[in-house]
Amino acid sequence: MKVLLIGSGGREHALAQALRRDPILEELHAAPGNPGIADFATLHAVDTDDNPTVVALAKELAIDLVVIGPEKPLVNGLADALRKAGIATFGPSAMAASLEGSKDFAKQVMHDAGVPTARSFTCSTKAEIEAALDTFGAPYVVKHDGLAAGKGVVVTEDRQIALEHAYLSPKVVIEEFLDGPEISLFGISDGTTILAMQPAQDFKRAFDADAGPNTGGMGAYSPLPWAPQDLVEQTLREVLKPTIAEMRARDTPFIGLLYAGLALTSKGLKVIEFNARFGDPETQVLLPRLKTPLATLLYQAATGHLLEAAPLDWSTSSAVTVVLAAEGYPIAPRTGDPVTGVSAVKEAFVYQAGTALADGTLYSAGGRVLAVTGVGDSLTAARLQAYEGISTITLRGSHYRSDIALAASASDKVREN
Ligand code: AMP
Ligand code: GLY
């Protein structure tokens, strides 16, 4: 099988590595890719926002399956263009990707499908915004309707900050605050059938103890030893299956990865958000643990054959990933500094994200520069490996959290007894 992978981040690096492990894979191409992905794939420097160019590339390479990593090309209709050209594609249509691209659309789908989520109002006027804020009270949760690259959501005790954030967008969703731990749970769907992956947890704040601004994600781990036994079953039943059925009923079947961001609240499980693609950095802990051949699985999803797929096969190991962020990330990341020590990391795996290669030297080229994943018999062992790995990498002014999976690793000992 010849596969073309779209994207250039740590998520795509993990996808490339996992696709490569599948014996069915003959050729792996990536557009645009990054210096880490180049170890697994042939890179093509094309503009992935230009749908006709990507379709032409896929045809020229006689690609059997295109896997789309990031949300932007999905919302931009790349999957539609590829399918129209008869190319099997893992990734939802622009309409189906609205589950991520429009908070208001996601709320409507959840409402119609009976999926548990925070109560909300969609507002366009000052009067509506004020009324909604006062209905729910503090802490206020204000979300811009469209894609906002992680900057669209504000959670604040300060009514003035909530108002100012709301006024920045023509359409906002204002909703009740959800308490309790957050979990990411991904489902792989062919539009009719959906298979749940194992849960992971992401650390969204920039600094230790969940201090600092929201980021794209500073680290992750899987599995979650503290999660309820029936979490996956419950999420399938209450969230993933009804959402897929609703999208199908609307004639916009969701073919690709449905990412459910969940809160385990005191009133039960609720959806915080949907994304229409693999999460980053959760993918860097999930795929190293997935034993099911990935190219075969994603091809089955892309071609409507998931019902025939075997149940997902997971290793019993634990994985922890820690993100190395550039100085100033997430507000104003500094780029263009040399990154050294990547090849000295032996036990852990380094997934590159914001990197560029020039004259044989690796440079920082984005806010989240790379992620180091450790895999071990326990979260404690996996953490140790990830932190040992990241400590050998140097990048001027960079920072990483020291508490990824720290609290959860305490459950290792409980499990052993
Ligand atoms: P989203 O882009 O919807 O995932 O929001 C980003 C982050 O804001 C989430 O990961 C949560 O930490 C937080 N958040 C979003 N919605 C809520 C909510 N209703 N209650 C509490 N926190 C929220
Ligand atoms: N891990 C958060 C995201 O992928 O959006």
Side-chain angles (χ1 to χ4, degrees):
M1 190 186 295
K2 296 182 183 179
V3 178
L4 171 61
L5 173 64
I6 305 297
S8 63
R11 158 187 52 214
E12 287 77 25
H13 196 170
L15 280 162
Q17 182 192 45
L19 288 165
R20 262 284 167 217
R21 279 200 304 267
D22 187 339
I24 205 171
L25 194 98
E26 294 161 276
E27 286 178 22
L28 184 61
H29 298 268
N34 70 34
I37 296 171
D39 292 339
F40 298 108
T42 307
L43 304 192
H44 301 270
V46 304
D47 176 4
T48 55
D49 292 334
D50 181 355
N51 295 345
T53 299
V54 178
V55 171
L57 177 68
K59 280 188 171 162
E60 183 190 319
L61 297 169
I63 292 296
D64 301 297
L65 170 70
V66 178
V67 177
I68 304 176
E71 60 274 22
K72 197 154 161 255
L74 292 169
V75 170
N76 194 30
L78 179 57
D80 306 74
L82 288 161
R83 285 199 191 100
K84 206 166 158 202
I87 300 162
T89 302
F90 184 80
S93 67
M95 284 292 285
S98 299
L99 278 180
E100 171 163 4
S102 165
K103 302 276 188 198
D104 178 42
F105 177 79
K107 284 290 183 188
Q108 288 174 29
V109 169
M110 283 189 264
H111 178 265
D112 293 353
V115 169
T117 185
R119 288 186 300 134
S120 71
F121 293 105
T122 299
C123 311
S124 312
T125 67
K126 285 191 179 188
E128 286 170 355
I129 289 165
E130 296 211 8
L133 291 177
D134 294 337
T135 300
F136 298 128
Y140 302 104
V141 182
V142 181
K143 305 185 172 187
H144 291 179
D145 181 55
L147 276 191
K151 296 199 174 79
V153 178
V154 155
V155 181
T156 177
E157 294 282 342
D158 187 326
R159 191 170 181 277
Q160 192 55 33
I161 292 176
L163 276 174
E164 281 162 18
H165 185 67
Y167 295 157
L168 292 176
S169 171
K171 197 189 214 185
V172 293
V173 171
I174 292 177
E175 65 181 33
E176 70 180 323
F177 178 81
L178 299 176
D179 59 354
E182 283 180 45
I183 286 177
S184 304
L185 210 149
F186 302 165
I188 293 176
S189 181
D190 64 2
T192 306
T193 301
I194 185 158
L195 303 180
M197 298 184 80
Q198 286 199 352
Q201 193 170 43
D202 176 18
F203 291 73
K204 289 223 163 85
R205 299 291 183 142
F207 307 121
D208 281 5
D210 290 335
N214 248 320
T215 71
M218 293 297 292
Y221 66 96
S222 172
L224 313 182
W226 51 270
Q229 283 293 320
D230 63 347
L231 175 75
V232 174
E233 265 315 306
Q234 191 190 355
T235 307
L236 258 177
R237 193 173 63 239
E238 295 182 7
V239 177
L240 300 178
K241 286 184 176 174
T243 303
I244 292 303
E246 175 64 24
M247 294 302 284
R248 200 177 162 69
R250 289 170 174 242
D251 244 356
T252 52
F254 187 99
I255 301 165
L257 189 122
L258 180 60
Y259 168 136
L262 305 168
L264 297 187
T265 77
S266 46
K267 292 186 200 131
L269 177 152
K270 298 200 179 186
V271 174
I272 291 192
E273 64 161 343
F274 281 134
N275 290 319
R277 35 96 196 153
F278 281 97
D280 195 344
E282 295 95 319
T283 301
Q284 290 93 310
V285 289
L286 287 170
L287 293 184
R289 302 186 49 241
L290 181 68
K291 294 202 279 187
T292 304
L294 189 67
T296 306
L297 176 68
L298 300 186
Y299 187 77
Q300 284 170 320
T303 55
H305 290 286
L306 266 194
L307 202 56
E308 296 137 47
L312 298 184
D313 187 13
W314 296 93
S315 101
T316 55
S317 60
S318 298
V320 174
T321 198
V322 183
V323 170
L324 183 80
E327 181 179 342
Y329 177 79
I331 312 293
R334 178 190 154 99
T335 58
D337 293 309
V339 182
T340 60
V342 169
S343 52
V345 178
K346 294 289 179 240
E347 300 288 328
F349 195 85
V350 181
Y351 295 108
Q352 296 186 32
T355 59
L357 201 58
D359 300 329
T361 303
L362 198 64
Y363 288 93
S364 60
R368 289 190 293 173
V369 178
L370 51 84
V372 182
T373 299
V375 179
D377 291 339
S378 63
L379 287 172
T380 305
R383 278 191 90 232
L384 202 68
Q385 210 184 78
Y387 277 109
E388 240 171 57
I390 206 165
S391 70
T392 69
I393 297 174
T394 54
L395 166 63
R396 193 195 130 155
S398 61
H399 59 100
Y400 58 85
R401 280 183 63 157
S402 70
D403 62 348
I404 305 299
L406 179 61
S409 67
S411 309
D412 281 338
K413 295 176 192 74
V414 179
R415 265 199 310 183
E416 280 157 21
N417 292 335

